[in-house]
Amino acid sequence: MEARGPSAAGARRELQQKLANRKTPRFGLVSSTDKIDRLIEIFLVDLEASDRAARTKDKYAYMVKKHISPRIGSVRVGEATSGLIDHFIRSIVEESGPSTARTCGAVLSWMFKIALRHDAVIVNPVLGVQIPRLRTKKPQALDAGQYQDLRKKLIEWERASTLGRPRSQELHEIADGLVALGVRPGELFSLLWEDLDMEANPPTIFIHTTVIRTTAGGVRIQDHPKTRHGIRQLTVPDFLVKQLRERHIRQTRSAMPNPLGLIYPSSTGTVMDANNVGKIWRVASDAIGYDWVTLKTFRKTNATIIARTMGPEAAAYQAGHSKVSMTQEHYIEERRGALDTRAIVDAFSPPRKSLPTHEQSLTMD
């Protein structure tokens, strides 16, 4: 092989590059001289063929389109060093936060594993990059008194007269469903009347679907929840059964279409979008003085009260988690006060001393 360059050193570099390229097998779909955009094309095909959840596929494809391709898509695969990836990840942290940066890091790691399989790189450059950890806050839940106060203020906010478009009247019933069942918002909004058995003893509801947002911006019902452990049957408390009976009667008498038979449809009878509900909730929660409460807080509230009465294992099942440790770390609020364990620990109290015989006689006299 031979190569030319503006100088001896330049010609030598060109020759080395040609030799490196020659090592790539002819059946490789990507080479070190291809741009990362070419690697992205192969990655998207690999992603679509994988068994990842539809939500994950949409999320990864969005990260490629939004962040990776515009910033480093024109860089050659062989020039993507750990330093370049590290600079990219840090810039994403500053602009979009550590959560987005971690997702981009996961996508890039997958992409360069593909490049390794095709001998386009010798090592995965993402391995040398420090992906930022997410700062997890301690879970905070509502107690029964706080929830009743929140609910009362929420109903007052819903019924208050306003100019323009009327406020949603659904928020307090959505909150009741979330706090009573401990499900994810997407799981709640995907529930059908056929999933509910109010005549059973106890009444039950079957969680086996969720609502996801597609890359096109719409929402649809996914035929499985977030994880396989999310498929579960839950009991429905009496207060929610009563509310759902009334809700079913209202829907039956209403002229509003509900072709899917959703328990919590949107105002137009379609699938409810958790993102839109979250936006309305933030406005309402700020107005009623509970700005720290999100839709996820109700799930933590449910997990906390179940864990304190039935144990963390029961809370993990209710939440649809595979690991009890995750429920304890992210969903169960730490107990604020001391446990009254006196009745149990009193078993270790020393026995009362018995009086000598002559002292007993004196006491009797």
Side-chain angles (χ1 to χ4, degrees):
M1 295 187 69
E2 62 181 38
R4 297 179 181 275
S7 63
R12 188 178 296 109
R13 284 194 298 269
E14 288 294 324
L15 181 59
Q16 290 172 343
Q17 186 63 56
K18 282 188 174 185
L19 289 170
N21 295 343
R22 192 173 183 176
K23 293 178 182 178
T24 304
R26 294 185 178 182
F27 54 80
L29 297 178
V30 63
S31 69
S32 61
T33 56
D34 288 329
K35 294 183 178 179
I36 289 178
D37 277 336
R38 169 59 182 163
L39 180 59
I40 286 173
E41 294 176 7
I42 301 170
F43 162 75
L44 292 176
V45 174
D46 202 48
L47 174 66
E48 190 59 34
S50 70
D51 59 354
R52 298 294 180 96
R55 182 183 298 182
T56 302
K57 292 179 180 180
D58 289 342
K59 184 178 182 180
Y60 282 10
Y62 176 79
M63 290 297 168
V64 166
K65 180 181 177 181
K66 177 70 175 180
H67 299 289
I68 297 175
S69 181
R71 291 172 180 265
I72 59 174
S74 60
V75 177
R76 297 185 187 278
V77 173
E79 296 173 351
T81 62
S82 294
L84 183 141
I85 302 297
D86 183 73
H87 177 76
F88 166 75
I89 293 295
R90 290 178 184 274
S91 65
I92 296 296
V93 171
E94 293 177 1
E95 296 180 15
S96 303
S99 178
T100 301
R102 285 189 67 82
T103 305
C104 286
V107 172
L108 285 169
S109 180
W110 187 343
M111 286 171 51
F112 280 98
K113 284 178 182 177
I114 295 172
L116 272 172
R117 293 204 305 264
H118 292 275
D119 295 320
V121 293
I122 300 174
V123 294
N124 188 335
V126 185
L127 296 177
V129 177
Q130 183 70 31
I131 306 296
R133 290 184 174 273
L134 299 179
R135 294 182 179 179
T136 56
K137 296 180 180 179
K138 289 185 177 181
Q140 189 174 3
L142 294 156
D143 59 35
Q146 286 176 317
Y147 181 74
Q148 295 302 332
D149 180 63
L150 177 148
R151 191 179 188 277
K152 177 183 176 182
K153 292 178 178 178
L154 185 59
I155 293 174
E156 292 174 353
W157 178 86
E158 289 176 342
R159 295 176 179 175
S161 58
T162 58
L163 296 175
R165 187 177 181 180
R167 290 172 175 172
S168 169
Q169 305 297 305
E170 292 280 301
L171 285 182
H172 73 280
E173 292 195 11
I174 290 173
D176 286 341
L178 292 172
V179 80
L181 300 175
V183 295
R184 302 174 178 90
E187 293 172 341
L188 186 77
F189 299 147
S190 71
L191 288 174
L192 308 179
W193 286 110
E194 63 186 44
D195 298 326
L196 174 65
D197 187 356
M198 291 187 284
E199 305 306 322
N201 186 21
T204 59
I205 196 162
F206 184 42
I207 311 297
H208 61 103
T209 56
T210 190
V211 174
I212 62 169
R213 175 172 282 273
T214 65
T215 52
V219 294
R220 67 176 179 86
I221 294 179
Q222 181 176 267
D223 61 0
H224 59 275
K226 186 176 181 180
T227 66
R228 63 184 179 88
H229 296 278
I231 300 175
R232 60 206 188 277
Q233 192 172 40
L234 306 176
T235 56
V236 185
D238 293 340
F239 81 90
L240 187 61
V241 170
K242 180 181 178 181
Q243 184 184 106
L244 291 176
R245 289 186 189 277
E246 296 172 354
R247 186 178 185 85
H248 191 262
I249 293 172
R250 288 202 311 268
Q251 287 188 8
T252 303
R253 294 175 178 175
S254 173
M256 184 66 66
N258 186 9
L260 297 177
L262 294 162
I263 297 179
Y264 297 92
S266 70
S267 58
T268 58
T270 57
V271 178
M272 190 96 75
D273 186 351
N275 287 354
N276 291 341
V277 176
K279 292 176 184 177
I280 300 171
W281 173 258
R282 283 191 289 273
V283 175
S285 60
D286 288 345
I288 65 177
Y290 282 91
D291 57 321
W292 60 274
V293 176
T294 66
L295 295 180
K296 196 173 183 178
T297 305
F298 299 122
R299 185 164 156 81
K300 296 176 182 178
T301 299
N302 177 277
T304 298
I305 195 170
I306 290 177
R308 290 180 181 175
T309 52
M310 301 178 67
E313 292 83 4
Y317 174 82
Q318 185 84 14
H321 292 157
S322 59
K323 296 181 179 178
V324 177
S325 58
M326 183 174 69
T327 312
Q328 290 177 313
E329 183 178 356
H330 300 290
Y331 288 85
I332 300 174
E333 183 183 52
E334 291 182 0
R335 189 176 289 274
R336 297 169 185 170
L339 289 171
D340 188 357
T341 59
R342 291 173 297 173
I344 300 172
V345 182
D346 272 345
F348 298 106
S349 62
R352 297 181 62 183
K353 293 183 178 179
S354 58
L355 296 173
T357 305
H358 70 280
E359 289 187 12
Q360 292 182 12
S361 302
L362 292 173
T363 302
M364 291 176 65
D365 292 341

